[in-house]
Amino acid sequence: MSLRDLLSPFYVWQRAFEKPYTTKRPTLDRPGAPAYRGFHINITETCVGCGSCHTICQNHAIDMVAVDEYVGRDGDSGLRPRFDYGRCCWCGLCVDICTAGSLRMSNEYAWISEDPGDFHFTAGIDDKPWQENALGYRRAEGYHLYPPKRITMPMLPVEESVNTFDEVVRGYDKEQAKKEADRCVECGICVATCPAHMDVPDYIHSIRDGDYEKGLQLMYRTNPFPATCGRICTRRCESVCPVGILGEPVAIRWLKRFIVDQVDKKDYPRILNEPIGESDFKVAIIGAGPGGLSAAYYLRQQGHAVTVYESRASAGGMLRYGVPSYRLPDVELDKDIEHILAIGVDIKYDTEIGRDISFETLLEDNDAIFMSTGLSVPSSMRIHGEDHPRVLSGLQVLADVASGRDPGIGKKIAVIGGGNVAMDAARVSRRLGADVTLLYRRRISDMPADDEEIDESQAEGVVIVQQAIPVEVLDADGTERVCIKWGEAKMVDDPKGGRPRPVLQEDRMHTETYDCIISAIGQSSDLGYLSSEVQDQLAIEWGRFKPVEYQHTMMEKVFVGGDFANRTADAISAIEDGHHAARGINRFLNPDAFIKAEMQDE
Amino acid sequence: MNTIDEILDYAIDQEQQAADFYEEVAKNAETASMKKILLDFSEEEKHHKKILQAVKTGEHELTPQQEILDLKIADYLVEVEVSKNISYQDALIIAMKRERAAYELYTDIAARVPEGHLREVLDGLAREEEKHKLFFETEYDERILTDN
Amino acid sequence: MTSLNRHTLTGHSAALDFSQPEPVDLSSGKYVKLWQGPQHPGITGNMSLELTLEGDTIIGCKTHVGYLHRGFEKLMERRTFIQNFTVVCRIAVPEPTFNEYLYSHAVEELSGIEIPDRAVWLRTLNLELMRLASFLMWIGGQSGAFGMYTVPNWTLSHRDFVLDLFEEMTGARIYHMYIVPGGVRAGLPEGFEKRARDVMDSTEKMLGQVERVMFNNAVTKARSRGLGIIDPEMIDPYGIVGPNARACGVARDLRKDEPYLAYDQLDFDIITGHDCDAYGRAWQRLQETRQSIDLIRQCLDRMPVDGPFQADMPNVLHWKVPAGETYVKAECTRGEYGYYMVTDGSEYVRRVHVRGPSYTHAIAVMERLAVGCNIADIAGLMVSLHTYPPEIER
Amino acid sequence: MNEKTLNTMLEKLKQEFDISDIVEHKPRLTTFTVSKQHAETLIRELRDREAYTHLNFMTCIDYIEDGIFSLVYMLHNYGKKHSLGVHVNISRNGEEVFSIHTLWAQAWTYQRELREMYGIRFTDSPRLDEDFCLEGWDQIPPMRREFDTKKFSHERFGHREGRSSEVPREHMKVQLYPNRGGDEE
Amino acid sequence: MFKKSLNTEDTLENAGLTVEEQQLFSNARPQAYEPYPIKAVEDFANWARANSLWILAFGTGCGAIEMRPLMTARFDANRFGVAGRPTPRQSSVFVIGGYASVKTLKRIVRSYEQMQGPKFVIALGICPVNGGMYFDSYNTVNRFDQYLPVDLYITGCMPRPEVLVAGIMELQKMIKAGKCNGANRYVDNFDWYKANQKKVIKNWDMPDYNW
Amino acid sequence: MIYQSLGEWFDKIGNFSLTLLIVTVYGLLMGAFIERIIAKVQGRIGIPYKQPFINVLKNIFKRTAISHGIMFYLGPVFRIAGGIGTLAFIPVIFGSETFSNFSTAGDLFLVIYFMFFGQLGMALGAGESGHPYSAIGVARGLSQMTAYEVPFALAVVAIVLQYGTLSINDIVAAQQGGWQHWTMVTNWPATLAAMLAFLGMTGYSPFDIFLAPQEIPIGPPTEFHSAYLGLLQLNRALFGATKLILFMNLFFGGATGWPELMLKTWLIYMVAIVVGVAFPRYRVDQGIRFFFKLPTLIGIMSIIYVQMVLTA
């Protein structure tokens, strides 16, 4: 024991003359740090209810509960996370995974209650004092729990693609597909948006597992055109994919394509091996497009004798005659169609209703009819000079090319329109060696065509002139060529809502001469094969079928579907219409079975 | 046509004529669906007529100064013949052209009368017809010019 | 009585004699059985000691644990790889980040992920701050165990200042959940460096005071000199690691021996002592606390200011780690902290074993050192071994 | 540890003991499996002859699908800075195992834990049957893979009521397209 | 004295104890705390109770880690009349520091019963509410209110010392208002609580009541 | 003690009650004040001044549902009896009739007896509680007491020899007339020995092992609760203040008024605090060894000093 050891401890008194460490008012003076992980905030407007927070929460602290306000919005499940603060550990994984970036944490941390049942709340819906807190934990910039960027799709280089009808998109390899499939958060929001309600998360899951056969089976449950849809689907699913809110959506279409690409056609019967039911019913289907064939496929599975009547020489409808082969090679389309036919669907080519066989006979001979004749009539622009011989329709040009005929378009052409048909016509024309100018009434951003299509067509050298309203078609004096007069448009906001509308500016007119003009402003259905009585019975209103359950029309045996009925004009809705009609026809043919089944359910 | 009432009566009559026109066309239409559309147009015109009647009795006021959006679609489309199997597109074109004609008529007359209450009424009627035209043009823009 | 195993420090064989003391006849009235804990302020955490006394002297000690057993290793088998990182930090409350780091490191090693440089430095800083906080609490605990409550008040306040730094850096005070497989969750907030340096300065000043007050203290010395002497012979057979071993002069420090993170780029030496008693261990830890402050300053000096702090990661929602087996370890305040992980290629881990240094320190070592102690010294002895029950039972 | 000395050592051990499945996980960690008969001697040899003096830990992996427990002894050589993981496979149904409590002081604690968590018995290990972490445990040893902790927790401890959650996909189906989608009727 | 009164009507069996051990514990049922008949006296007593909360120093879970800053200089709970007390006899507040493993629950129950009324329980963190982090653990209870009456819950993982201070202030308010009667709830539903406790604590080698 | 009449008795008792009240309240207040000083050293704010009163009240209002037998009840009673008894024979304010209590010729012996009496009573009560911690605490407390009583007793003997009286009043009287007459100056070895014993007596570090929460909670009063604990707390305040008054009287010239008393007692108390916050606690064997060494030596020295220097 040294003297130092006795005296040194008295240094302790030094502290008595300093400021205490104590926080004066601990409950008031110490808010959480700016990035403190306190109570949850959810911006319910941005949230899409994907449930990733629910999935990642290791404590099962998050329930997804229905919030009426948000039910029925496209790309929104109508569910919002509800937190159980008897479980939450404030790890913030839910914030990190939040696909919409709507979930965050406040720096509030005090919640005291006598009742243990109190600690529940739906963030953003239940009124809590911290909802407006500006501080708190946010996911840091550059920190992700899933890759936000899509795996780049290998494409044919533009220099090559512009000269060939070979498929532009090369497709993922296994590694890429696995990586891309890995980005899926398996929320299933896309399932609702997909017109066919395909099991998107499940077949993406099968890619991760490497079980492509299972993926194919899953796809065929809702869609007998996976090879086709894997290439040209309008993929509304991707537009609502929550992963796409802060990053790029999962490439659902390419993954679908990937699965089909992995499976050889000759393995289809073994893999799918659909059970064919027993039935004595006969069903006729008018139109061998996606809608008709889809209905045929699902009806055939029930065992009905299905006959498809097709006016052209090949099946596929718009898929074959409207979609150019650099987007959808015939061989891929055939892969789908051949399997449908393989399960025993009978098809009669070059058979036009009204010409070769009357609708009434069909009605007589069959137990049910499904009509899906699509939109085969190109819309007319109804401008002066439109009947000029050098004004071609986009549909015609595409059909000619698909059938191997030369559409005879010349070297310098104009395409009018902004939809996929216009794009296809333009890109086909480029491949045929023409300089293409595309005139569109509105802005590029308003185009209904796929963004990819627009980008690719521009890359391939299509010149897009936006806000150009064609006003008149003129003869180019003394030549085979044709003149078009068009006026610039300005975009005007419609006070009643809707997208901005283009208004012609009469003082800004242009005239240009082309070898031909391809008009692709829209199509309508041809009801010519139906007598007016039948048309009356079908009760078509404002150009549409009156909606009845299961694609049923007002006529007893008649079901309709596809572009013909739904006007969304894409293959996937036609496919779902066909599927749904098949379901409806089934119910119609076997009402007892369904009543029994429903009674059993209850 | 010197008094306001006279002008309004004329306008009401015009609307009635339009309604009759659509009914007549509907009678000849081939399909029930097209018939329905045309009868709807006719109803629309009758509705316009009612508005004008209300203006006459003072229950409704015209709004001569109002800016109405002009999509100018009716300006450059071709004239369409009335026929039995007329399409929806054509029906819309006929309708918007008729409204445009009425609008032009009132504007013309308005330009000729001196400034005052009468002119205001005529202007108001013109606006009213413009509104009707916009209705059909919007429908055309939405349903026909879908661009796909 | 003769059969009672009174360990002495004479001869080498004593260190290797692991036999259990034989039970004594309590009904003789000569001995008292006394339970210390779990409800007892002198116990480090929620555990208990079953003591057999003869007078004031302990002749038998049994450690009882399990009061905090939550079955982490089982829970981890049914959570995905990302979910586990939030769970592991709960294994050791005073220094959760070592768990986070080791778990993340094991997963990264098995799945072949290389973390970016900035994440390496942020992790190093985080671990060193944690070491500092833990040591500060320990100093308070050791002082408190001998009945001096001034020092705990000071050190725990400074620990709280370090926790404030953590709060800024990671968003939480205790369970930071900052080191995530693949990197860290965020960079440093603005002005952090300055605030950290201020805390380091004030803590260093406070440590000076603590040294004068607690270490140069006749009573502390009287209490802790000669208490719980660890024979250097015991170190390997008993698996003694960390400061407890270094205080005996055995220079083993994983930061130097098998450098991880940025430790091979930091400038420091292994500190060793030569007193094998409680005082020596306390002195050792005081020096290591200072070293920790120095290391934090070095980290702050050399911290990359930008760049990614997370490696490219798969989607964690269905993350499968390839089949494999690894053992990763780091030097925590108590010594070698290790994670043994076996994966089988699924979304869940096959087996994780968490090796905490307290496992040996609090049971085998404690039970041996306690024998012959005065009953009043048991708390001091226990704290001097720096045991922490949750890492024993997990 | 340099590769050559490691290989020499392993070769030497291979000759004496029944060693298989040698895997070098990283430069500082190698694991292998040894038969149960040779294991005790091997571990002792490693400690005394090869200077693997530090027992990092001892644990067990349940390979329920193969019907075995794999005991893992992680030994460390401070001099060479190298760890050796020794796997010993034993049958899952109550096979008794040698005890290493005479080699390391803390080993009996591990063995006591393994007895409690897996139900493995170690011959002559002290205090083997004393409760370690659990008290009054009346189920199968909890770390065995067939023991479902969540189910058990739910049954014995219960959860607070008033919770329910919807699956977005199912919820949307019911709300938006009840008759459509993939389910065949 | 109380402990010898083995034959009163309303006694507990304490079965499972050895005869010697039975002698060590009371068999009498616990009795509810009756407020003083004069309200002013009761209010005054409550005021005194509220301003002198002695916490039992039993760190039952992670929560113990935040008790240290709370009791030391940074947050200095002493100035609110809070003090740590190492013996249950003298404590009036039991702070459940988070999860309770079955083994600890047994000790908690015992310590709680040794506390003299009026006594209060604060449950920290999420685990006592609904299992928290360890909702699926085989060794921790999920709903603490099944086993002991809780007067106040503070959510968080861990709740910061600041919230603890806020919780203590809230508890003080409740005590002053005479609303804190968890201990009486325990007495009223004694059999229910005991049954729940025995459901999870399988080796019930302690007395049913041991005050 | 012979008083003229019963009325005078009542007066005495009344006066004593007043003294008792003042000293108890003062003791409690001083406790809070000292706590705050300690808190200041620890970097804290510390308890409010009212806290000790609330604590006592709370404990008295607390319910008791337990007993360990008669002796268990009597423990606190003996203890407070010891405290009151000690105070009863100490003249608090020198020269004041009201605050002279029952001070008589041989009161110093009585006081020392009562100081022991309380401790022993407590020991019996705590022992009855049956708690091993109590028993250990009691053993520690008593052995430490035995140790510090030695230097204290030696110091007292020294001053008894010095002043030749057993009356505290006389001892105080002898120290009047300025600080140079205080025992502190005239017999510094005795004061030193007594002050060292005082460190042990107050129960602050380094001699607080018998109450230590870390080493064994919480010493003798482990099982005491509610009103019993309230009594113990009251006694601690009362007895603490009484001891200070005794020390003040014996070694620091007593006090002629309350302010003087408060200042002096506080300063005396501070001696224990100054040491207390700076040191951990000794184990009991170390404590005994400590007291048997230096303080006892000084105590013996003080007697020699008295004999050789003062009375020579």
Side-chain angles (χ1 to χ4, degrees), chain A residues 11-80:
Chain A
Y11 269 113
V12 80
W13 284 92
Q14 201 181 354
R15 177 72 231 173
F17 305 99
E18 289 169 30
K19 217 171 126 247
Y21 297 120
T22 311
T23 311
K24 284 274 183 304
R25 298 171 303 171
T27 49
L28 301 172
D29 292 348
R30 286 178 46 81
Y36 190 73
R37 291 199 300 271
F39 298 147
H40 290 81
I41 297 175
N42 191 13
I43 312 299
T44 47
E45 268 304 310
T46 325
C47 178
V48 295
C50 69
S52 300
C53 45
H54 167 89
T55 314
I56 202 164
C57 182
Q58 73 279 9
N59 292 351
H60 297 207
I62 301 178
D63 288 335
M64 299 304 292
V65 296
V67 172
D68 295 340
E69 210 179 325
Y70 297 110
V71 167
R73 298 209 304 193
D74 192 29
D76 182 345
S77 71
L79 302 174
R80 292 295 179 269

Side-chain angles (χ1 to χ4, degrees), chain E residues 192-206:
Chain E
W192 182 76
Y193 280 115
K194 274 284 162 243
N196 286 340
Q197 289 164 6
K198 286 178 180 173
K199 189 185 165 201
V200 298
I201 303 172
K202 286 299 172 182
N203 61 341
W204 187 267
D205 58 356
M206 59 185 200

Side-chain angles (χ1 to χ4, degrees), chain C residues 303-319:
Chain C
M303 178 72 60
V305 283
D306 44 18
F309 46 80
Q310 190 197 22
D312 279 342
M313 293 278 291
N315 187 342
V316 296
L317 284 178
H318 23 67
W319 184 12

Side-chain angles (χ1 to χ4, degrees), chain C residues 32 34-37 40-42 53 56 144-150 153-154 213 217-220 222-223 374-377 379, chain F residues 38 40-44 132-133 136 140 205-206 208-209 212-217 276-286:
Chain C
V32 177
L34 196 69
W35 283 79
Q36 193 164 14
H40 191 292
L53 298 179
D56 249 7
F146 289 138
M148 181 164 179
Y149 301 118
T150 311
N153 274 291
W154 295 353
V213 171
N217 186 320
V219 182
T220 311
R223 284 299 293 277
N374 188 299
I375 171 79
D377 283 336
Chain F
I38 295 174
K40 187 79 181 134
V41 175
Q42 295 177 341
R44 297 191 285 133
Y133 290 177
I136 291 174
R140 287 176 181 173
S205 297
D208 58 341
I209 189 96
Q214 305 284 334
E215 274 82 351
I216 272 304
V277 294
F279 288 99
R281 57 177 76 99
Y282 271 128
R283 277 201 314 266
V284 65
D285 51 330
Q286 292 169 331

